[in-house]
Amino acid sequence: MSSGSSFRPVVCVVGFHHAKGPEIESWFGAEDGHDPATDNDWSFLPFMALSDGAHGQGIPGYLQATEDFSYFTLLRRETASHAATSLFGISCTRQMDANELLNRPADVTRSTVQKAVVLIADSPQHFGHLREKLSMVTKAWFAQRDFTDVDILKVVLAYMGLPLQLFGKGSLFGPYTPLQQLDVLADYGTKSYIVGSTNSLLLQQKDRHSDILINLDESTINITSTSLRSALVLSVADRRWIDFLTQTIADTWDEQNPSRPKTMGYMGSEEFIRLQFEEYLLALLSSVKYHLFLHKSPASTPATPKDTLTDIEGNPALDFNIDWIDAWRATPNFALFNKHTDSHLFDIVEPKHPTAGNLTIEDVQRRLAQQVAELHLDERFATSKELLNKHLATGQKRVSTAFNNLWADIEVMREAQRKRHEEQKAANLAAAPGDSTAGGLEKSASTGPRFARAPDLSQAQAAVGAAGHKAGAYISSWGAWASERRKGWGRTGTGSGTGSSASNPNANAGYGESGGSSATSPGRTGAGRVRERGDGGSPVKARNREAKGGDGIGRLDA
C-alpha cells in the first residue's frame, strides 16, 4: 500500500435514540468539515457497531450484559488521491441506568442508555490488543456519568501505536550489523542503537560500542556502563513478573514445535507473551504519569476530585525501580512521550504494577529454587549427602561393633568370676572338719578365690574413640565446607577478595571481583571452596586427612 493510500484511524460514538434508532453522534480524528460515514456511504455503520439487542438491555426477557464487542468491515471509496480499499472496525458497547447520569439530556427517555465507541483502521492486525484498550476507555467514559465530556475518547487514537518512539532521528536498529558499519555506531549523529552481530571481533570492542552486551552463545548479559547498573536492577515486583512469565513459558514449551505451546492453549503463546509486555509497559507509563502528578510543584493547578485515585496506595512508580524512571526522565525519549501524552493517563490505565506487592515467602522460595537449579546445588548436595550418610553409617557400625565387643569382654569376665566362685565354694565344702585353724587358714589363703585380671578396656575405648573422631572430623569438614560456601555466596556482588588474600595467608582463595556482571559464577569456578594454605598447614585439610584414614573418604568440595 502506497503512502498516499494510508488511512488515519478514526473514532466515533454510536448511540441508540428512542425515535431514530442507532445513530452516529460524533467523530474524532476525522478531517475538519468531513463526515467519513457520508463520504463513504457507511449508512449501515450504526447498526453494525451497536450490537443487536443492545437497545433492549434492561428490559425483561433480554440477557443483561455489561459490555459487548462487534467486528465489521467497511469499504473506503476511491478518490483522486487513493484507490478503493477495505477498512476494519471494532466497537465496544456498554449500557448504564439513565438515573445515574449527572446531566441527563431531555432526549433520554428510556430507563437505560446504550452507546458504542467505535475504532476504524486500515489493518486489523492489532485489534486483539486494541480490544482491551477500547474496553478500558469506554468503561472510564461511562464511569464519568457525563457523556458530554468526551476528552477521554481522544486517547483511543494514541493506542494505535505506543508513544515511545525509540527509533527516531539519530537512532539505529540493525538486527545484523557487519563490521564495516561499526563506524556508523561511533558517529556523532548516532545517539542510540540496537544492533546484532555474529563476529566475535565486536566483543573485543564491547567497552567502546556497547552499554549493554547480550551474548546469545553464552546466555549472558554484560552491563558495561556502570551508570546503568543501579537503574537496571529488578525490583521485587519486576522479578516476580519475569519469574511468572518465564515459568509459564517453561511449563508450556514444546521442544518439537517451539512456535506454539504444547497445551495448544493461550498460556505461553506468542500473543500471551506480547500482551504481558504491553500490559507491563502501559502500567509503567501510567505509573510514571501518576508519579509526576504526585510530585508536581505547589504552583501547579491543584488536584481535582477526578484526579484522586482512592484505590491506589502510595506511589506505584516505586514498584518499577525509581532509579530506572529517573534515568529515563533524563532522555529525549521521555521528553517526547511526556509532550504527546495526556498528563492524566492514569485515569484510563490503572497505575499499578501487574505483579505489585511486597516480598512474600513465595518470592523467596521461588528465587532459592531457581538459584539451586542454576548452581546445580541439588546434584552436589545429593552426592555429598550420599557420601555423608554412607560414612556415618560406617562409623555407626564401627561404634556399635566396639560396644558389642566391650560387652562381650564384660560377660566373659563375669562368667570367669562365677566359675571361680563356684570352684572355691566346692573346695571349702570338701575340706576336713578336723583341720587345724592354721592349716585351714593356710589352705584358704593358698587356694582362695583369685579375681581374674580386669579386662583390657583400652582397645575397645580406642576403637570407639577412633570411630567417633572420624565421624566428628567428617562432620566438622562438612560444616567448614558449608560455611565457606555461604561466605562465597554472600560475597558475590559485594566486593573482592584478592586484596585480603595478599595480607592474610589464611584467607580462602578463589574469590574475584563480583561487583559487576563480569563476576564469575560460584557454581562453576568453585568460589568458597576450602583451600589449602600456602604452607600446607590448613587445619581443615589436616582434619580431612585425619578423617580420611584408610576408608577412602573424599573431599566434599570436589
Side-chain angles (χ1 to χ4, degrees):
M1 183 180 294
S2 64
S3 58
S5 64
S6 60
F7 177 79
R8 289 185 57 186
V10 293
V11 173
C12 71
V13 174
V14 175
F16 184 83
H17 192 274
H18 70 282
K20 302 177 183 178
E23 63 177 358
I24 299 177
E25 298 180 351
S26 55
W27 284 96
F28 305 94
E31 297 181 8
D32 293 338
H34 288 269
D35 184 339
T38 302
D39 295 343
N40 296 279
D41 191 19
W42 293 341
S43 57
F44 295 115
L45 172 59
F47 299 92
M48 292 186 292
L50 200 62
S51 306
D52 280 343
H55 57 278
Q57 293 181 12
I59 299 177
Y62 281 90
L63 179 64
Q64 192 79 8
T66 303
E67 67 178 6
D68 197 5
F69 294 88
S70 296
Y71 301 86
F72 51 88
T73 59
L74 298 169
L75 176 63
R76 185 188 186 193
R77 283 182 172 179
E78 181 181 3
T79 65
S81 60
H82 62 264
T85 184
S86 295
L87 300 179
F88 304 87
I90 176 176
S91 70
C92 177
T93 303
R94 295 186 70 93
Q95 57 98 24
M96 67 176 296
D97 191 333
N99 295 324
E100 297 180 359
L101 291 174
L102 298 179
N103 298 310
R104 181 171 180 172
D107 59 349
V108 178
T109 60
R110 299 171 60 86
S111 60
T112 58
V113 179
Q114 299 86 25
K115 293 183 183 294
V117 179
V118 185
L119 173 66
I120 302 174
D122 60 354
S123 173
Q125 180 180 359
H126 304 292
F127 274 11
H129 300 160
L130 289 174
R131 170 179 169 139
E132 299 298 327
K133 312 306 175 292
L134 188 62
S135 174
M136 289 189 294
V137 171
T138 306
K139 180 180 180 181
W141 187 42
F142 270 73
Q144 295 177 175
R145 297 187 297 166
D146 182 7
F147 293 120
T148 61
D149 185 358
V150 294
D151 290 340
I152 195 173
L153 297 180
K154 301 176 183 179
V155 184
V156 178
L157 297 175
Y159 284 121
M160 291 307 297
L162 290 174
L164 297 179
Q165 300 182 21
L166 300 180
F167 300 102
K169 184 178 180 180
S171 299
L172 172 66
F173 177 66
Y176 174 72
T177 303
L179 293 179
Q180 291 77 6
Q181 203 174 4
L182 292 182
D183 292 339
V184 178
L185 305 183
D187 188 83
Y188 177 78
T190 304
K191 304 301 181 182
S192 61
Y193 52 81
I194 296 179
V195 297
S197 177
T198 58
N199 199 314
S200 60
L201 293 178
L202 184 63
L203 298 177
Q204 301 177 8
Q205 304 181 35
K206 61 182 180 180
D207 294 332
R208 177 187 178 189
H209 293 296
S210 70
D211 291 323
I212 303 174
L213 180 65
I214 302 175
N215 192 324
L216 297 180
D217 293 333
E218 300 179 359
S219 299
T220 58
I221 299 178
N222 186 10
I223 304 175
T224 56
S225 174
T226 56
S227 61
L228 293 177
R229 289 177 181 171
S230 61
L232 296 179
V233 173
L234 295 181
S235 66
V236 173
D238 285 339
R239 190 173 293 277
R240 185 185 300 124
W241 178 81
I242 195 63
D243 283 345
F244 160 74
L245 183 59
T246 54
Q247 187 62 43
T248 302
I249 297 174
D251 292 341
T252 59
W253 185 259
D254 188 352
E255 292 289 348
Q256 303 300 325
N257 188 358
S259 63
R260 57 172 175 75
K262 61 183 180 182
T263 58
M264 300 294 292
Y266 173 71
M267 298 295 291
S269 64
E270 181 177 355
E271 184 178 358
F272 166 79
I273 297 172
R274 290 182 180 275
L275 187 60
Q276 301 310 308
F277 277 97
E278 182 178 351
E279 179 186 17
Y280 176 91
L281 188 57
L282 290 175
L284 167 65
L285 300 181
S286 178
S287 298
V288 170
K289 286 290 187 179
Y290 193 62
H291 171 73
L292 298 178
F293 168 75
L294 293 176
H295 294 82
K296 63 182 180 181
S297 61
S300 303
T301 305
T304 63
K306 177 182 176 182
D307 299 330
T308 305
L309 299 179
T310 57
D311 57 336
I312 300 298
E313 297 181 1
N315 187 353
L318 299 178
D319 285 329
F320 293 93
N321 186 356
I322 201 66
D323 290 337
W324 186 93
I325 294 177
D326 291 340
W328 179 45
R329 291 178 60 186
T331 64
N333 178 264
F334 174 81
L336 189 64
F337 158 77
N338 202 37
K339 178 181 178 181
H340 294 285
T341 53
D342 191 271
S343 61
H344 289 67
L345 182 63
F346 49 83
D347 284 334
I348 305 171
V349 180
E350 185 180 21
K352 184 178 181 181
H353 196 290
T355 54
N358 296 325
L359 186 67
T360 63
I361 188 63
E362 289 79 9
D363 297 327
V364 177
Q365 292 175 342
R366 182 169 55 252
R367 296 308 302 170
L368 287 177
Q370 182 176 352
Q371 291 176 2
V372 168
E374 291 175 354
L375 299 178
H376 304 284
L377 294 182
D378 50 348
E379 301 173 5
R380 299 183 183 185
F381 285 159
T383 304
S384 302
K385 183 179 180 180
E386 181 179 355
L387 290 175
L388 179 63
N389 291 337
K390 177 181 178 181
H391 294 298
L392 286 178
T394 302
Q396 182 181 9
K397 181 178 180 181
R398 293 183 178 181
V399 171
S400 178
T401 302
F403 277 109
N404 290 337
N405 293 337
L406 176 61
W407 286 114
D409 291 342
I410 293 176
E411 288 297 327
V412 171
M413 179 190 70
R414 293 177 63 185
E415 182 65 20
Q417 289 179 336
R418 186 183 62 80
K419 290 182 178 181
R420 290 181 180 277
H421 180 69
E422 290 179 354
E423 292 176 356
Q424 180 62 35
K425 184 177 180 181
N428 290 338
L429 292 176
D435 290 346
S436 63
T437 304
L441 290 176
E442 183 179 355
K443 184 175 183 180
S444 176
S446 60
T447 61
R450 296 182 180 178
F451 292 98
R453 183 173 56 89
D456 187 4
L457 302 180
S458 60
Q459 183 177 0
Q461 292 174 348
V464 174
H469 184 72
K470 288 182 179 181
Y474 192 87
I475 294 175
S476 176
S477 177
W478 168 265
W481 176 83
S483 176
E484 294 300 329
R485 283 293 185 185
R486 288 193 296 270
K487 291 180 181 178
W489 298 330
R491 294 182 184 179
T492 302
T494 59
S496 63
T498 55
S500 62
S501 297
S503 60
N504 184 6
N506 293 328
N508 291 335
Y511 292 96
E513 291 189 357
S514 57
S517 58
S518 60
T520 56
S521 170
R524 296 188 178 183
T525 61
R529 293 172 59 181
V530 180
R531 295 283 184 157
E532 185 178 359
R533 295 194 310 175
D535 57 357
S538 169
V540 176
K541 187 168 184 179
R543 288 197 301 270
N544 286 341
R545 289 198 300 267
E546 182 179 358
K548 184 172 182 179
D551 51 1
I553 298 179
R555 292 180 60 182
L556 295 178
D557 57 356

